[in-house]
Amino acid sequence: MTKNLEPQLERLEKIMSRLGYGARRDVPHWIREGWLTVNGEKPKSASAKVYADEVELDGKPLDHPHGLTVIYHKPLGTVCSRKEEGRIIFEDFPERWLGRKPPLSSVGRLDKDTSGLLVVTDDGKLNHYLTSPKHHISKTYAVTLDNPLTGHEAEVFASGTLMLEADDKPCLPAELNIINENSVNLVLHEGRYHQVRRMFAAMGNHVTALERTHTGNLSLASFNLQVGEYQSIEVEPLKQLIE
Ligand code: URA
């Protein structure tokens, strides 16, 4: 996950394509028009080997040439995968980001009816680090319930014995912090499909609103992001905020 900090020489056409600006074949045209510069000079050819940091398009430096990670406030009603129906989260980002290689993906998924904190990154190692159960990175959810708590939920969730329908292993122990009889915070140490909703369904209740508020110690509230907004962050500071 540590980025190679040594700048790499790359072909200009490759840089422009991997950052989603367009196809390699478009680059000669951008050079001829004078739109692309390297260190302020017109490059000799699209295959010139250059440092991405020294390239400008229309007088602007390139967008996150060494990897892209964002903290995103996911709105309700959006989906994290193209396999699901609905408006995809990537519509909240610049269109160019969809053409980036490696591609951006969300760290885990929030379901369509869940809002809140989502990390989106093109860094596969970071993604694995944040999702692998080995690293014990908790996720905290603010949950609103249809029916009042019965009083047994905290004990059952903490026990590590709760079996969810169709699963073959019980849930890992989870912490329930009660705010009032219809609203709680739940801290999970794993990420199963619709886990919060299914845990409360197993207790005979129904989740009416769900928001992810934290990943580890990182709090969405500390970022002051409106719904649908995002902010880029470097990998190491992100890890420090989470751990
Ligand atoms: N649990 C759920 O039920 N949905 C989510 O999106 C995340 C956790």
Side-chain angles (χ1 to χ4, degrees):
M1 188 181 331
T2 318
K3 291 275 175 204
N4 184 353
L5 296 175
E6 283 298 305
Q8 305 272 332
L9 279 169
E10 289 174 272
R11 286 185 199 282
L12 182 55
E13 58 198 356
K14 180 179 170 205
I15 295 172
M16 300 313 287
S17 138
R18 75 168 175 79
L19 296 179
Y21 284 91
R24 290 178 191 224
R25 63 174 178 280
D26 298 331
V27 175
H29 175 64
W30 301 341
I31 295 175
R32 275 195 306 276
E33 292 293 330
W35 296 336
L36 263 178
T37 57
V38 178
N39 260 331
E41 313 248 322
K42 192 168 177 168
K44 290 204 171 55
S45 81
S47 59
K49 287 202 160 185
V50 301
Y51 293 110
D53 286 328
E54 295 176 346
V55 179
E56 288 189 352
L57 182 65
D58 278 338
K60 287 189 222 89
L62 301 183
D63 189 3
H64 294 88
H66 305 301
L68 177 58
T69 297
V70 298
I71 312 273
Y72 169 58
H73 190 161
K74 179 193 175 292
L76 285 177
T78 55
V79 297
C80 295
S81 149
R82 298 204 177 281
K83 290 184 192 136
E84 296 166 79
E85 254 183 50
R87 182 177 179 272
I88 186 119
I89 54 168
F90 298 112
E91 288 186 24
D92 280 338
F93 304 143
E95 203 180 332
R96 179 173 64 244
W97 288 9
L98 277 179
R100 286 179 69 104
K101 295 171 255 338
L104 279 177
S105 53
S106 65
V107 174
R109 287 186 193 165
L110 290 178
D111 68 53
K112 193 171 181 176
D113 300 317
T114 301
S115 60
L117 173 60
L118 194 63
V119 176
V120 178
T121 185
D122 63 6
D123 185 327
K125 283 190 182 151
L126 174 69
N127 202 326
H128 178 74
Y129 169 77
L130 295 177
T131 46
S132 157
K134 223 170 55 197
H135 297 112
H136 307 287
I137 294 173
S138 62
K139 312 279 174 348
T140 305
Y141 295 89
V143 189
T144 309
L145 297 163
D146 204 10
N147 305 309
L149 294 164
T150 61
H152 303 295
E153 292 86 350
E155 196 186 324
V156 174
F157 292 171
S159 70
T161 60
L162 176 66
M163 278 300 279
L164 299 179
E165 221 179 291
D167 285 2
D168 54 5
K169 276 193 226 119
C171 293
L172 289 177
E175 292 94 58
L176 188 74
N177 300 304
I178 298 172
I179 296 162
N180 61 46
E181 59 180 14
N182 287 86
S183 56
V184 298
N185 290 323
L186 180 62
V187 184
L188 299 185
H189 301 276
E190 58 186 338
R192 300 188 189 188
Y193 178 72
H194 286 190
Q195 184 166 351
V196 176
R197 296 179 198 280
R198 289 162 70 220
M199 286 171 74
F200 281 100
M203 304 302 296
N205 211 329
H206 176 71
V207 170
T208 54
L210 185 58
E211 181 189 15
R212 181 149 75 196
T213 59
H214 294 75
T215 292
N217 290 320
L218 174 84
S219 143
L220 177 61
S222 66
F223 280 85
N224 203 15
L225 293 170
Q226 300 302 305
V227 174
E229 287 184 345
Y230 55 86
Q231 181 179 319
S232 67
I233 186 165
E234 295 297 323
V235 170
E236 286 310 317
L238 172 67
K239 283 180 68 190
Q240 280 170 20
L241 288 171
I242 288 173
E243 280 163 4

